[in-house]
Amino acid sequence: MQVIEKVDQMRQKTNLLRNKSETIGLVPTMGYLHRGHLNLIEKSREQCTKVIISIFVNPTQFGPGEDLDKYPRDFEKDYKAALESGVDYIFKPDASEIYGEDYRTFVTVRGLNKIMCGSSRPLHFDGVCTVVLKLFNIIQPHKAYFGRKDYQQLVIIKKMIRDLNIPIDIVECPIVREADGLAMSSRNKYLNDKERKDATVLYRCLKTAAELIKNGNTDIDKIKKNINGIFNETPSVKEVDYFDFRDPEDLTEIDDIEKHLTGKPGCGILIASAIRIGSTRIIDNIIYKPDRALT
Ligand code: AMP
């Protein structure tokens, strides 16, 4: 496994790999790898002959006052995990390597960037799209792997791919959870013991909402009231940023569950939420489908 820090070197390497007819899989990450990331790597290994992961804590996707400086980093541990998972190259550039002096160009997927997480993080998705497009241009992978944990990100990237005719397959991977249901995230490290225990409330609420729908309760206001009751009983929950019911394909808000389920059979309902546990913001989602078990 080789670690590459420079854009030119990375590009030369992938040109060479392409000329040798290798299939290149890219797994973009911000490091501090956990099983969620490793699952993406494993999928990429199954489908591609060479696997590249990027480790880059992207400054443009953090807003002022967010956790850019304290975002967890442990390259030694990541190196070991990547090596053991069969990664071929780690692309680990500095911020100055990616954003040169007087950097001005950003990618905006209009509308989708301002809803859900975008309403409290208005520049976040522009930063994500910009860095992902840069990684795509530098590495030119055949396939790129993203987790459904960041569902809105996934929909936005797929939209960017279509809108800009980018010739890369986006492979979606399922959410990997801790034994008690909490979705794995590098940010879970911020949680103290009490907060960590209480953080399971998010998945419980998503499942409860899906179960209510499954049992025929389709009044969104009533479901939200029920869910708020559960959040309110959990002292570590300091804020519910959003708890939304949306179309999983285009993220439009669903205001009539029955109409949506009959009007778009098979589409399902994305139930997605972001809450603040102590000072840590966590996100999660599930997709409800009438004919499928809840996961
Ligand atoms: P991050 O390092 O948090 O930017 O995440 C890098 C990639 O890993 C993104 O595509 C995430 O959606 C994915 N990812 C992070 N956590 C999980 C998880 N628990 N399950 C599945 N994918 C995940």
Side-chain angles (χ1 to χ4, degrees), residues 21-175:
S21 299
E22 303 278 12
T23 326
I24 303 167
L26 169 66
V27 181
T29 83
M30 297 206 297
Y32 211 71
L33 302 182
H34 51 67
R35 274 196 291 115
H37 299 115
L38 300 185
N39 187 50
L40 303 182
I41 293 171
E42 204 176 302
K43 193 85 200 158
S44 178
R45 276 191 49 203
E46 279 168 30
Q47 299 183 339
C48 304
T49 57
K50 294 288 172 198
V51 176
I52 302 175
I53 71 165
S54 56
I55 296 183
F56 181 60
V57 182
N58 174 36
T60 62
Q61 71 189 67
F62 289 79
E66 290 187 354
D67 57 340
L68 172 63
D69 292 335
K70 69 165 191 170
Y71 194 85
R73 294 161 168 91
D74 186 344
F75 184 64
E76 229 171 88
K77 198 163 143 263
D78 286 350
Y79 181 91
K80 209 165 152 258
L83 187 66
E84 281 167 7
S85 313
V87 168
D88 297 287
Y89 301 93
I90 299 180
F91 180 48
K92 183 185 169 288
D94 270 352
S96 59
E97 182 70 11
I98 294 295
Y99 299 107
E101 232 174 83
D102 196 29
Y103 189 84
R104 284 168 188 271
T105 308
F106 287 87
V107 182
T108 300
V109 178
R110 289 185 188 168
L112 295 182
N113 65 339
K114 291 289 195 282
I115 58 172
M116 300 166 75
C117 287
S119 45
S120 58
R121 309 185 74 193
L123 296 176
H124 172 69
F125 290 109
D126 294 5
V128 168
C129 286
T130 302
V131 82
V132 167
L133 183 59
K134 276 171 146 296
L135 291 169
F136 286 173
N137 283 334
I138 295 164
I139 293 168
Q140 299 186 25
H142 296 88
K143 293 174 184 284
Y145 295 79
F146 293 89
R148 288 204 190 102
K149 151 100 186 338
D150 300 272
Y151 196 89
Q152 184 177 8
Q153 169 175 288
L154 186 58
V155 172
I156 288 178
I157 287 168
K158 287 199 296 191
K159 185 78 180 105
M160 174 181 82
I161 288 277
R162 272 200 308 279
D163 285 357
L164 297 180
N165 310 98
I166 300 169
I168 295 173
D169 277 349
I170 301 299
V171 182
E172 298 181 24
C173 299
I175 300 176

